[in-house]
Coordinates of all heavy atoms in Angstrom, one line a residue:
T1 N 59.1 90.5 50.1 CA 59.2 90.1 48.7 C 60.7 89.9 48.4 O 61.5 90.7 48.7 CB 58.6 91.2 47.8 OG1 57.2 91.4 48.1 CG2 58.7 90.8 46.3
I2 N 60.9 88.8 47.7 CA 62.3 88.5 47.3 C 62.3 88.5 45.8 O 61.5 87.8 45.1 CB 62.8 87.1 47.8 CG1 62.8 87.1 49.3 CG2 64.2 86.9 47.4 CD1 61.7 86.4 49.9
S3 N 63.3 89.2 45.2 CA 63.4 89.2 43.7 C 64.7 88.6 43.3 O 65.8 89.0 43.9 CB 63.3 90.7 43.2 OG 62.1 91.3 43.6
A4 N 64.7 87.8 42.3 CA 65.9 87.3 41.6 C 66.0 87.9 40.3 O 65.1 87.9 39.5 CB 65.9 85.8 41.5
T5 N 67.1 88.6 40.0 CA 67.3 89.3 38.7 C 68.6 88.8 38.0 O 69.7 88.8 38.6 CB 67.4 90.8 38.9 OG1 66.3 91.3 39.6 CG2 67.6 91.6 37.6
N6 N 68.4 88.4 36.8 CA 69.6 87.9 36.0 C 70.4 89.1 35.6 O 69.8 90.1 35.0 CB 69.1 87.1 34.8 CG 70.2 86.6 34.0 OD1 71.1 87.3 33.4 ND2 70.2 85.2 33.8
V7 N 71.6 89.1 35.9 CA 72.5 90.3 35.7 C 72.6 90.6 34.2 O 72.7 91.8 33.8 CB 73.9 90.1 36.3 CG1 74.9 91.2 36.0 CG2 73.8 89.9 37.8
D8 N 72.7 89.6 33.3 CA 72.9 89.8 31.9 C 71.6 90.1 31.1 O 71.7 90.9 30.2 CB 73.6 88.5 31.3 CG 75.0 88.3 31.9 OD1 75.7 89.3 32.1 OD2 75.3 87.1 32.2
T9 N 70.5 89.5 31.5 CA 69.3 89.6 30.7 C 68.2 90.5 31.3 O 67.2 90.8 30.7 CB 68.7 88.2 30.4 OG1 68.2 87.7 31.7 CG2 69.6 87.3 29.8
S10 N 68.4 90.8 32.6 CA 67.4 91.6 33.4 C 66.2 90.8 33.7 O 65.2 91.4 34.1 CB 67.1 92.9 32.8 OG 68.3 93.7 32.7
L11 N 66.1 89.5 33.4 CA 65.0 88.6 33.7 C 64.8 88.8 35.3 O 65.8 88.6 36.0 CB 65.2 87.2 33.4 CG 64.2 86.2 33.9 CD1 62.9 86.2 33.1 CD2 64.8 84.8 34.0
R12 N 63.6 89.0 35.7 CA 63.3 89.2 37.1 C 62.1 88.4 37.5 O 61.1 88.4 36.9 CB 63.0 90.7 37.4 CG 62.8 91.0 38.9 CD 62.6 92.5 39.0 NE 62.3 92.8 40.4 CZ 61.2 93.3 40.9 NH1 60.3 93.6 40.0 NH2 61.1 93.5 42.1
R13 N 62.3 87.6 38.6 CA 61.3 86.8 39.2 C 61.1 87.1 40.6 O 62.1 87.5 41.3 CB 61.5 85.3 39.0 CG 61.6 84.9 37.5 CD 61.3 83.4 37.4 NE 61.4 83.1 36.0 CZ 61.8 81.9 35.6 NH1 62.1 80.9 36.4 NH2 61.8 81.6 34.3
T14 N 59.9 87.1 41.1 CA 59.7 87.4 42.5 C 59.0 86.3 43.2 O 58.3 85.5 42.6 CB 58.8 88.7 42.7 OG1 57.6 88.5 42.1 CG2 59.5 89.9 42.1
T15 N 59.2 86.2 44.5 CA 58.5 85.2 45.4 C 58.4 85.7 46.8 O 58.9 86.8 47.1 CB 59.3 83.8 45.4 OG1 58.5 82.8 45.9 CG2 60.6 84.0 46.1
M16 N 57.8 85.0 47.6 CA 57.6 85.4 49.0 C 58.3 84.3 49.9 O 58.3 83.1 49.5 CB 56.1 85.4 49.4 CG 55.3 86.4 48.6 SD 55.8 88.1 48.9 CE 55.1 88.4 50.5
S17 N 58.7 84.7 51.0 CA 59.3 83.7 52.0 C 58.2 83.1 52.8 O 57.2 83.7 53.0 CB 60.4 84.4 52.8 OG 59.8 85.4 53.7
D18 N 58.6 82.0 53.4 CA 57.6 81.3 54.3 C 57.9 81.9 55.8 O 58.7 82.8 56.0 CB 57.8 79.8 54.3 CG 59.1 79.3 54.7 OD1 59.9 80.0 55.4 OD2 59.4 78.1 54.4
G19 N 57.2 81.3 56.7 CA 57.3 81.8 58.1 C 58.7 81.7 58.7 O 59.0 82.4 59.6
A20 N 59.5 80.8 58.2 CA 60.9 80.6 58.6 C 61.9 81.5 57.8 O 63.1 81.5 58.1 CB 61.3 79.2 58.5
G21 N 61.3 82.3 56.9 CA 62.2 83.1 56.1 C 62.8 82.4 54.9 O 63.7 83.0 54.2
E22 N 62.4 81.2 54.6 CA 62.9 80.5 53.5 C 62.1 80.7 52.2 O 60.9 80.9 52.3 CB 63.0 79.0 53.8 CG 63.9 78.7 55.0 CD 64.0 77.2 55.3 OE1 63.3 76.4 54.7 OE2 64.8 76.9 56.2
F23 N 62.8 80.6 51.1 CA 62.2 80.9 49.8 C 62.8 80.0 48.7 O 63.9 79.5 48.9 CB 62.3 82.4 49.4 CG 63.7 82.9 49.4 CD1 64.4 82.9 48.2 CD2 64.2 83.4 50.5 CE1 65.7 83.3 48.2 CE2 65.5 83.9 50.5 CZ 66.3 83.9 49.3
V24 N 62.1 79.8 47.6 CA 62.5 79.0 46.5 C 62.2 79.7 45.2 O 61.1 80.2 45.0 CB 61.9 77.6 46.5 CG1 62.3 76.8 45.3 CG2 62.3 76.9 47.8
F25 N 63.1 79.7 44.2 CA 62.9 80.1 42.9 C 63.1 78.8 42.0 O 64.2 78.5 41.6 CB 63.8 81.2 42.4 CG 63.6 82.5 43.0 CD1 64.3 82.9 44.1 CD2 62.6 83.3 42.5 CE1 64.1 84.2 44.7 CE2 62.4 84.6 43.0 CZ 63.1 85.0 44.1
P26 N 62.0 78.1 41.7 CA 62.2 76.9 40.9 C 62.5 77.2 39.5 O 62.0 78.1 38.9 CB 60.9 76.1 41.0 CG 59.9 77.2 41.4 CD 60.6 78.3 42.1
A27 N 63.4 76.4 38.9 CA 63.8 76.4 37.5 C 64.2 77.8 37.0 O 63.8 78.2 35.9 CB 62.6 75.9 36.7
L28 N 65.1 78.4 37.7 CA 65.7 79.7 37.1 C 66.7 79.3 36.0 O 67.4 78.3 36.1 CB 66.5 80.4 38.2 CG 65.7 81.3 39.2 CD1 66.7 81.9 40.2 CD2 64.9 82.4 38.5
P29 N 66.6 80.0 34.9 CA 67.6 79.7 33.8 C 69.0 79.9 34.4 O 69.2 80.8 35.3 CB 67.3 80.7 32.7 CG 65.9 81.1 33.0 CD 65.7 81.0 34.5
I30 N 70.0 79.2 33.8 CA 71.4 79.4 34.2 C 71.8 80.9 34.0 O 71.3 81.5 33.1 CB 72.4 78.4 33.5 CG1 72.4 78.6 32.0 CG2 72.1 77.0 33.9 CD1 73.5 77.9 31.3
G31 N 72.8 81.3 34.8 CA 73.3 82.7 34.6 C 73.7 83.3 36.0 O 73.6 82.6 37.0
F32 N 74.1 84.6 35.9 CA 74.4 85.3 37.1 C 73.2 86.1 37.6 O 72.6 86.8 36.8 CB 75.6 86.3 36.8 CG 76.9 85.6 36.7 CD1 77.4 85.2 35.4 CD2 77.7 85.4 37.8 CE1 78.6 84.5 35.3 CE2 78.9 84.7 37.7 CZ 79.4 84.3 36.4
Y33 N 73.0 86.0 38.9 CA 71.8 86.6 39.5 C 72.2 87.4 40.8 O 73.2 87.2 41.4 CB 70.8 85.5 40.0 CG 70.1 84.9 38.8 CD1 70.6 83.8 38.1 CD2 68.8 85.4 38.5 CE1 70.0 83.3 37.1 CE2 68.1 84.8 37.4 CZ 68.7 83.7 36.7 OH 68.1 83.1 35.7
T34 N 71.3 88.4 41.1 CA 71.3 89.1 42.4 C 70.0 88.8 43.0 O 69.0 88.6 42.3 CB 71.6 90.6 42.3 OG1 70.6 91.2 41.5 CG2 72.9 90.9 41.7
L35 N 70.0 88.8 44.3 CA 68.7 88.7 45.1 C 68.5 90.0 45.8 O 69.5 90.6 46.3 CB 68.7 87.6 46.1 CG 68.8 86.2 45.6 CD1 68.9 85.2 46.7 CD2 67.6 85.8 44.7
A36 N 67.3 90.5 45.8 CA 66.9 91.7 46.6 C 65.7 91.4 47.4 O 64.8 90.6 47.0 CB 66.6 92.8 45.6
V37 N 65.8 91.9 48.7 CA 64.7 91.6 49.6 C 64.1 92.9 50.1 O 64.9 93.9 50.5 CB 65.2 90.8 50.9 CG1 64.1 90.6 51.9 CG2 65.8 89.5 50.4
E38 N 62.8 93.0 50.1 CA 62.1 94.2 50.7 C 61.1 93.6 51.6 O 60.3 92.8 51.3 CB 61.4 95.0 49.6 CG 62.4 95.7 48.7 CD 61.8 96.6 47.6 OE1 60.6 96.9 47.8 OE2 62.5 96.9 46.7
A39 N 61.1 94.1 52.9 CA 60.2 93.6 53.9 C 59.8 94.8 54.8 O 60.7 95.6 55.1 CB 60.8 92.5 54.7
T40 N 58.6 94.9 55.1 CA 58.1 96.0 56.0 C 58.9 96.0 57.3 O 59.1 95.0 57.9 CB 56.6 95.9 56.3 OG1 55.9 95.8 55.1 CG2 56.1 97.0 57.1
G41 N 59.4 97.2 57.7 CA 60.1 97.4 58.9 C 61.6 97.1 58.8 O 62.4 97.2 59.8
F42 N 62.1 96.7 57.6 CA 63.5 96.4 57.4 C 64.1 97.1 56.2 O 63.3 97.5 55.3 CB 63.7 94.9 57.1 CG 63.3 94.0 58.3 CD1 62.1 93.5 58.4 CD2 64.3 93.7 59.3 CE1 61.7 92.7 59.5 CE2 63.9 93.0 60.4 CZ 62.6 92.4 60.5
A43 N 65.4 97.4 56.3 CA 66.0 98.1 55.2 C 66.2 97.1 54.0 O 66.4 96.0 54.2 CB 67.4 98.6 55.6
P44 N 66.0 97.6 52.8 CA 66.2 96.8 51.6 C 67.6 96.2 51.6 O 68.6 96.8 52.1 CB 66.0 97.7 50.4 CG 65.3 98.9 51.0 CD 65.7 99.0 52.4
T45 N 67.8 95.0 51.1 CA 69.1 94.4 51.0 C 69.2 93.6 49.7 O 68.3 93.2 49.1 CB 69.3 93.4 52.2 OG1 70.7 93.0 52.2 CG2 68.4 92.2 52.2
R46 N 70.5 93.5 49.3 CA 70.8 92.9 47.9 C 72.1 92.1 48.1 O 73.0 92.5 48.8 CB 70.9 94.0 46.9 CG 71.3 93.5 45.5 CD 71.4 94.7 44.5 NE 70.2 95.5 44.5 CZ 69.1 95.3 43.7 NH1 69.1 94.3 42.9 NH2 68.1 96.1 43.7
T47 N 72.1 91.0 47.3 CA 73.3 90.2 47.3 C 74.3 90.6 46.2 O 73.9 91.4 45.3 CB 73.0 88.7 47.0 OG1 72.5 88.6 45.7 CG2 72.1 88.1 48.0
T48 N 75.5 90.2 46.3 CA 76.4 90.4 45.2 C 76.1 89.3 44.1 O 75.4 88.3 44.5 CB 77.9 90.2 45.6 OG1 78.0 88.9 46.2 CG2 78.3 91.3 46.6
P49 N 76.4 89.5 42.9 CA 76.1 88.5 41.9 C 76.6 87.1 42.2 O 77.7 87.0 42.7 CB 76.7 89.1 40.6 CG 76.7 90.5 40.8 CD 77.0 90.7 42.3
F50 N 75.8 86.1 41.9 CA 76.3 84.7 42.1 C 75.7 83.9 40.9 O 74.8 84.4 40.2 CB 75.7 84.1 43.4 CG 74.3 84.1 43.5 CD1 73.5 83.0 43.2 CD2 73.6 85.2 44.0 CE1 72.1 83.0 43.3 CE2 72.2 85.2 44.1 CZ 71.5 84.1 43.7
V51 N 76.3 82.7 40.7 CA 75.9 81.9 39.5 C 75.0 80.8 39.8 O 75.0 80.2 40.9 CB 77.2 81.4 38.8 CG1 77.9 80.3 39.6 CG2 76.9 80.8 37.4
I52 N 74.0 80.6 38.9 CA 73.1 79.5 39.0 C 73.5 78.5 37.8 O 73.6 79.0 36.7 CB 71.6 79.9 38.8 CG1 71.1 80.8 39.9 CG2 70.7 78.7 38.6 CD1 70.9 80.1 41.2
S53 N 73.8 77.3 38.2 CA 74.3 76.3 37.2 C 73.2 75.2 37.1 O 72.4 75.0 38.0 CB 75.6 75.7 37.7 OG 76.6 76.7 37.8
P54 N 73.2 74.4 36.0 CA 72.3 73.4 35.8 C 72.3 72.4 37.0 O 73.3 71.9 37.4 CB 72.7 72.7 34.5 CG 73.5 73.7 33.8 CD 74.2 74.5 34.9
G55 N 71.1 72.1 37.5 CA 70.9 71.0 38.5 C 71.5 71.4 39.9 O 71.6 70.6 40.8
Q56 N 71.8 72.7 40.1 CA 72.4 73.2 41.3 C 71.3 73.8 42.2 O 70.4 74.5 41.8 CB 73.4 74.2 41.0 CG 74.1 74.9 42.2 CD 75.0 76.0 41.8 OE1 75.1 76.4 40.6 NE2 75.6 76.6 42.8
T57 N 71.5 73.5 43.5 CA 70.7 74.2 44.5 C 71.7 75.2 45.2 O 72.8 74.8 45.6 CB 70.2 73.2 45.6 OG1 69.3 72.3 44.9 CG2 69.5 73.9 46.7
T58 N 71.3 76.4 45.3 CA 72.1 77.5 45.8 C 71.4 78.0 47.1 O 70.3 78.3 47.1 CB 72.3 78.6 44.8 OG1 72.9 78.1 43.7 CG2 73.2 79.7 45.4
I59 N 72.2 78.1 48.1 CA 71.7 78.7 49.4 C 72.3 80.1 49.5 O 73.5 80.3 49.5 CB 72.1 77.8 50.6 CG1 71.4 76.5 50.5 CG2 71.7 78.5 51.9 CD1 71.8 75.5 51.5
Q60 N 71.4 81.1 49.7 CA 71.9 82.5 49.9 C 71.3 82.9 51.2 O 70.1 82.8 51.5 CB 71.4 83.4 48.8 CG 72.0 83.1 47.4 CD 73.5 83.5 47.4 OE1 73.8 84.6 47.9 NE2 74.3 82.7 46.8
R61 N 72.1 83.5 52.1 CA 71.6 84.0 53.3 C 71.6 85.6 53.2 O 72.5 86.2 52.8 CB 72.5 83.6 54.5 CG 72.6 82.1 54.6 CD 73.0 81.7 56.0 NE 73.3 80.2 56.0 CZ 72.4 79.3 56.0 NH1 71.2 79.6 55.8 NH2 72.8 78.0 56.1
L62 N 70.4 86.1 53.6 CA 70.2 87.6 53.5 C 69.8 88.1 54.8 O 68.6 88.2 55.1 CB 69.2 87.9 52.4 CG 69.5 87.4 51.0 CD1 68.4 86.8 50.3 CD2 70.0 88.6 50.3
P63 N 70.8 88.5 55.6 CA 70.4 89.1 56.9 C 69.7 90.4 56.8 O 70.1 91.3 56.0 CB 71.8 89.3 57.6 CG 72.8 89.3 56.6 CD 72.2 88.5 55.4
L64 N 68.6 90.6 57.5 CA 67.8 91.8 57.4 C 68.2 92.7 58.6 O 68.4 92.3 59.7 CB 66.3 91.5 57.4 CG 65.8 90.7 56.3 CD1 64.3 90.4 56.5 CD2 66.1 91.3 55.0
Q65 N 68.3 94.0 58.3 CA 68.6 95.0 59.3 C 67.3 95.9 59.5 O 66.6 96.2 58.5 CB 69.7 95.9 58.8 CG 71.0 95.2 58.6 CD 71.6 94.6 59.8 OE1 71.5 95.1 60.9 NE2 72.1 93.4 59.7
P66 N 67.0 96.2 60.7 CA 65.8 97.1 61.0 C 66.0 98.4 60.2 O 67.1 98.9 60.0 CB 65.8 97.3 62.5 CG 66.7 96.2 63.0 CD 67.7 95.9 62.0
A67 N 64.9 98.9 59.7 CA 64.9 100.1 59.0 C 65.0 101.3 60.0 O 64.7 101.1 61.1 CB 63.6 100.3 58.2
N68 N 65.5 102.4 59.5 CA 65.6 103.6 60.3 C 64.2 104.0 60.6 O 63.4 104.2 59.6 CB 66.4 104.7 59.7 CG 67.9 104.3 59.6 OD1 68.4 103.5 60.4 ND2 68.6 104.9 58.7
V69 N 63.8 104.2 61.8 CA 62.4 104.7 62.1 C 62.5 106.1 62.5 O 63.3 106.5 63.4 CB 61.8 103.8 63.3 CG1 60.5 104.3 63.6 CG2 61.8 102.4 62.9
I70 N 61.7 106.9 61.9 CA 61.6 108.3 62.2 C 60.3 108.6 62.8 O 59.2 108.2 62.3 CB 61.8 109.2 60.9 CG1 63.1 109.0 60.2 CG2 61.6 110.7 61.2 CD1 63.3 109.6 58.9
E71 N 60.3 109.1 64.0 CA 59.1 109.4 64.7 C 58.8 110.9 64.7 O 59.7 111.7 65.0 CB 59.3 109.0 66.2 CG 58.0 109.1 67.0 CD 58.2 108.5 68.4 OE1 58.8 107.5 68.5 OE2 57.8 109.2 69.3
N72 N 57.6 111.2 64.3 CA 57.2 112.6 64.2 C 56.1 112.8 65.3 O 55.2 112.0 65.5 CB 56.5 112.9 62.9 CG 57.5 112.9 61.7 OD1 58.6 113.4 61.9 ND2 57.1 112.4 60.6
R73 N 56.3 113.9 66.0 CA 55.3 114.2 67.0 C 54.8 115.6 66.7 O 55.6 116.6 66.5 CB 55.9 114.2 68.4 CG 56.3 112.8 68.9 CD 56.8 112.8 70.3 NE 57.2 111.5 70.6 CZ 57.4 111.1 71.8 NH1 57.1 111.8 72.8 NH2 57.8 109.8 72.0
I74 N 53.5 115.8 66.8 CA 52.9 117.1 66.6 C 52.2 117.5 67.9 O 51.4 116.7 68.5 CB 51.8 117.0 65.5 CG1 52.5 116.6 64.2 CG2 51.1 118.4 65.4 CD1 51.5 116.4 63.0
I75 N 52.6 118.6 68.4 CA 52.1 119.0 69.7 C 51.2 120.2 69.4 O 51.6 121.2 68.8 CB 53.2 119.5 70.7 CG1 54.2 118.3 70.9 CG2 52.7 120.0 72.0 CD1 55.4 118.6 71.6
V76 N 50.0 120.1 69.9 CA 49.0 121.1 69.7 C 48.6 121.6 71.1 O 48.3 120.9 72.0 CB 47.7 120.6 69.0 CG1 46.7 121.7 68.9 CG2 48.1 120.0 67.6
G77 N 48.7 122.9 71.3 CA 48.3 123.5 72.6 C 47.6 124.8 72.4 O 47.4 125.3 71.3
E78 N 47.0 125.2 73.5 CA 46.3 126.5 73.5 C 47.1 127.5 74.3 O 47.7 127.2 75.3 CB 44.9 126.3 74.2 CG 44.0 125.4 73.4 CD 42.7 125.2 74.1 OE1 42.3 126.0 74.9 OE2 42.0 124.2 73.8
S79 N 47.1 128.7 73.8 CA 47.7 129.8 74.5 C 46.7 130.5 75.3 O 45.5 130.6 75.0 CB 48.4 130.8 73.6 OG 47.5 131.4 72.7
S80 N 47.1 131.1 76.5 CA 46.1 131.7 77.3 C 46.3 133.2 77.3 O 47.2 133.8 76.9 CB 46.2 131.2 78.8 OG 47.6 131.1 79.2

């Protein structure tokens, strides 16, 4: 899930990426935004604020890092 949040108004829109990891937020109002990405198996990531201007296409690259995986093992045994 990718979220675009307007820094000044807190307007938040969400979308999903396609198989290539690309996504589009059509017709966002002008302003300063941050993007946040949450994906299973990856650590959450967020951009620094950037501006959306009228008629502009903005490309943001959001590299994903694997999440820390904690493995729990439960050992059950019998005593003699």
Side-chain angles (χ1 to χ4, degrees):
T1 302
I2 301 104
S3 301
T5 304
N6 185 298
V7 175
D8 297 319
T9 67
S10 298
L11 169 77
R12 183 174 178 245
R13 295 202 183 152
T14 60
T15 192
M16 301 293 288
S17 63
D18 63 16
E22 296 181 356
F23 55 91
V24 175
F25 287 98
L28 280 176
I30 61 170
F32 285 91
Y33 286 84
T34 59
L35 293 177
V37 178
E38 293 183 15
T40 303
F42 294 94
T45 189
R46 180 179 304 271
T47 64
T48 57
F50 61 94
V51 68
I52 296 289
S53 300
Q56 175 187 3
T57 298
T58 301
I59 297 173
Q60 293 289 317
R61 301 203 189 288
L62 296 139
L64 298 179
Q65 300 296 321
N68 292 334
V69 178
I70 300 173
E71 185 175 316
N72 293 321
R73 293 184 184 199
I74 299 172
I75 300 172
V76 178
E78 295 179 20
S79 61
S80 45

